[in-house]
């Protein structure tokens, strides 16, 4: 009973306090507004009238008169950068960074923003210069992160490795997937410069860094193959099954070529036939079809595709089936000038299906949804690593 009465007394008191607090805030706001220099309203007016350059001038004037308005400048700079107006963002942040009266933390903040503006504007040297001035203090980790992004754009992989390692300790975050990919990039550079020994060293480092990395064995196989060691190449490529079998379709054509070099195409076909029974069938259809056609001819290729249609009916298998049928009737026609009407029909169906399926399958980034015909280790849309599953998804349009 006592408790309830207390509440009845307390309620008006709470309302009263709330009302007072609201009035106090309003008064404070009004007094603050009165203290703002005229240039502030002038700047705001320019901004609203889509005259951003005049607005910047007016706001710089505000900053000169009232050094407390740095937040306003940061907001303005961020706004310009977000709208892609990097030159204006640079002007705002540069003005902040060079102000002698600015306290150290805010100057560092300005340098950090400036580094990002330069990066966005493609002025990579200047971005690096700004960010490298922040290697200690509260912006160290964030600056290092942007620097890492910059090194990736510049393809400075050794610097990227160093930055990622530092970030790993600064942030306690795992960068091993990225570091292994940077090693693979360096290996690929070495291969282009015809330095296979260097490439092998980098690929070993990649595997040490991230034992699950699939790109390293793919490239190691390429090194062996280029050196004429098809057997060695096969052991690298087929070994991917132990790491992650879903990546096997990426090396299917390579495996077929290596078996062909060893004159063991039957082995290649046996390998492909086995995989066609599993869930990688759709990805391997193309390679399987071409290999079967080459080794055993169009009748066998058509039979294989018919089996595949029965197992897993897809538009792609249907297309391949008609490709085989058309190849078969074209082969039967031989030298004859007039193709039989039936053969013409088959060819027409093949063409129609090919046109429909040509752009059907795409790799899709699981982070940003970017769709690509080729497989990428780094997404061209969001620049993240290993975000593409090695599996094409069918989508119309
Ligand atoms: Zn992406």
């Amino acid at each position: 009973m006592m408790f309830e009465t207390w509440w009845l007394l307390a309620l008006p008191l709470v309302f009263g306090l709330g009302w007072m607090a609201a009035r106090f805030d309003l008064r404070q706001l009004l007094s603050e507004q009165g203290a703002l220099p005229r240039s502030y309203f002038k700047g705001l007016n320019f901004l609203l009238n889509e005259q951003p350059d005049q607005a910047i001038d007016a706001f710089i004037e505000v900053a000169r008169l009232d050094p407390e308005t740095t937040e306003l400048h940061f907001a303005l700079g961020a706004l310009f950068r977000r709208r892609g107006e990097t030159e204006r963002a640079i002007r705002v942040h540069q003005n902040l960074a060079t102000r002698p009266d600015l306290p150290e933390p805010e100057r560092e903040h300005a340098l950090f923003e400036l580094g990002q503006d330069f990066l966005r504007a493609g002025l990579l040297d200047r971005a690096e210069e700004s960010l490298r001035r922040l290697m200690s203090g509260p912006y160290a980790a964030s600056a290092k992160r942007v620097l890492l992004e910059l090194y990736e754009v510049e393809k400075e992989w050794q610097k990227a490795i160093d930055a990622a390692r530092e970030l790993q300790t600064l942030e306690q975050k795992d960068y091993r997937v990225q570091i292994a990919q940077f090693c693979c990039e360096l290996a690929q550079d070495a291969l282009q410069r015809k330095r296979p020994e260097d490439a092998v060293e980098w690929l070993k480092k990649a595997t040490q860094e991230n034992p699950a990395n699939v790109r390293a064995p793919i490239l190691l196989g390429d090194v062996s193959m280029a050196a004429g060691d098809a057997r060695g190449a096969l052991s690298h490529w087929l070994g991917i099954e132990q790491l992650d079998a879903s990546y096997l379709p990426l090396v299917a054509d390579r495996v077929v070529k290596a078996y062909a070099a060893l004159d063991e195409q039957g082995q290649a076909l046996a390998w492909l036939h086995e995989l066609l029974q599993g869930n990688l069938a759709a990805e391997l259809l193309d390679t399987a079809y071409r290999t079967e056609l080459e080794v055993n001819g169009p009748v066998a290729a058509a039979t294989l595709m018919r089996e595949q249609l029965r197992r897993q009916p897809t538009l792609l298998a249907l297309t391949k089936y008609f490709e085989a049928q058309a190849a078969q009737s074209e082969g039967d026609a031989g030298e004859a000038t007039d193709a039989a009407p039936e053969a013409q029909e088959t060819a027409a169906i093949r063409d129609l299906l090919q046109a429909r399926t040509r752009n059907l399958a795409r790799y899709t980034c699981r982070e940003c949804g970017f769709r690509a015909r080729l497989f990428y280790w780094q997404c061209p849309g969001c620049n993240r690593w290993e975000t593409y599953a090695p599996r094409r998804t069918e989508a119309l349009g």
Side-chain angles (χ1 to χ4, degrees):
M1 196 65 190
M2 259 310 263
F3 180 74
E4 282 169 24
T5 331
W6 258 109
W7 262 110
L8 285 175
L9 280 170
L11 269 174
L13 194 70
V14 168
F15 277 120
L17 279 173
W19 181 78
M20 266 168 68
R23 264 178 67 91
F24 179 72
D25 270 349
L26 198 67
R27 271 214 196 120
Q28 197 186 19
L29 193 73
L30 282 172
S31 73
E32 270 179 12
Q33 263 190 352
L36 279 172
R38 272 176 56 82
S39 323
Y40 172 81
F41 294 100
K42 239 166 75 184
L44 206 58
N45 208 23
F46 280 131
L47 202 62
L48 293 172
N49 286 324
E50 302 274 327
Q51 292 170 288
D53 287 312
Q54 286 94 323
I56 295 174
D57 289 335
F59 283 128
I60 288 174
E61 177 73 10
V62 180
R64 204 176 54 78
L65 296 170
D66 182 1
E68 298 288 299
T69 54
T70 45
E71 280 311 314
L72 170 73
H73 280 68
F74 281 120
L76 204 61
L79 176 78
F80 284 134
R81 190 169 67 229
R82 216 175 23 245
R83 287 182 12 172
E85 299 173 47
T86 42
E87 249 175 71
R88 294 196 171 110
I90 289 170
R91 248 188 91 200
V92 172
H93 291 134
Q94 220 152 25
N95 179 265
L96 278 173
T98 51
R99 256 172 52 185
D101 59 321
L102 209 66
E104 191 56 21
E106 300 205 341
R107 203 185 59 83
E108 288 191 357
H109 185 189
L111 275 174
F112 176 61
E113 297 295 332
L114 200 54
Q116 291 182 83
D117 297 339
F118 283 136
L119 178 63
R120 185 70 78 81
L123 302 167
L124 304 182
D125 289 350
R126 302 187 67 182
E128 191 175 350
E129 193 195 310
S130 293
L131 295 165
R132 287 189 74 86
R133 285 159 71 187
L134 297 168
M135 290 302 96
S136 59
Y139 285 92
S142 317
K144 193 67 81 185
R145 251 196 323 269
V146 182
L147 267 178
L148 176 59
E149 202 184 311
L150 184 147
Y151 294 143
E152 287 181 21
V153 174
E154 286 183 317
K155 302 199 180 300
E156 291 270 13
W157 303 115
Q158 182 60 62
K159 282 186 180 176
I161 291 175
D162 297 340
R165 281 201 205 288
E166 282 171 51
L167 273 172
Q168 212 154 235
T169 36
L170 272 172
E171 291 187 313
Q172 304 291 322
K173 244 176 81 182
D174 194 355
Y175 279 86
R176 278 176 301 178
V177 169
Q178 286 93 322
I179 293 174
Q181 285 289 345
F182 301 155
C183 293
C184 289
E185 291 288 344
L186 280 164
Q188 216 146 26
D189 287 351
L191 282 180
Q192 263 163 12
R193 285 184 283 109
K194 306 261 179 280
R195 305 278 302 260
E197 305 84 15
D198 293 354
V200 171
E201 283 308 306
W202 281 119
L203 294 170
K204 278 184 195 157
K205 281 183 193 154
T207 306
Q208 274 167 16
E209 200 68 43
N210 175 21
N213 180 294
V214 181
R215 193 179 176 189
I218 294 179
L219 290 171
L220 277 171
D222 288 344
V223 175
S224 300
M225 196 68 187
D229 178 13
R231 192 73 64 196
L234 274 175
S235 80
H236 287 300
W237 291 329
L238 296 176
I240 289 170
E241 189 165 6
Q242 265 79 55
L243 289 176
D244 186 344
S246 68
Y247 281 91
L248 282 176
L250 288 184
V251 291
D253 284 339
R254 288 172 165 97
V255 168
V256 170
K257 239 179 240 160
Y259 275 126
L262 293 166
D263 214 12
E264 293 176 11
Q265 274 143 319
Q267 293 276 21
L269 272 177
W271 180 70
L272 285 166
H273 281 207
E274 202 187 308
L275 287 175
L276 279 188
Q277 322 231 353
N279 55 1
L280 296 172
E283 288 297 316
L284 289 163
L285 213 57
D286 203 42
T287 312
Y289 169 76
R290 268 186 288 115
T291 313
E292 189 77 48
L293 188 67
E294 208 182 294
V295 179
N296 295 324
V299 180
T303 310
L304 181 66
M305 287 305 116
R306 207 171 31 236
E307 278 170 22
Q308 201 51 42
L309 269 173
R310 228 175 285 138
R311 267 199 291 256
Q312 202 178 26
T314 59
L315 209 48
L316 200 63
L318 191 68
T319 314
K320 293 288 167 212
Y321 173 69
F322 274 97
E323 274 178 29
Q325 290 281 5
Q328 196 182 332
S329 47
E330 273 160 19
D332 288 346
E335 298 296 309
T337 41
D338 295 324
E342 224 171 273
Q344 282 178 353
E345 264 173 38
T346 313
I349 295 171
R350 175 200 60 191
D351 293 345
L352 185 71
L353 282 168
Q354 274 178 343
R356 290 296 297 160
T357 51
R358 190 166 296 136
N359 294 321
L360 211 58
R362 287 275 193 275
Y363 296 105
T364 310
C365 171
R366 77 172 87 89
E367 290 291 334
C368 73
F370 191 93
R371 294 171 68 77
R373 206 160 55 84
L374 297 173
F375 178 84
Y376 290 101
W377 295 102
Q378 185 184 23
C379 171
C382 65
N383 294 329
R384 290 193 179 91
W385 292 91
E386 294 187 28
T387 53
Y388 280 92
R391 174 176 286 268
R392 281 169 287 199
T393 46
E394 287 193 4
L396 290 170

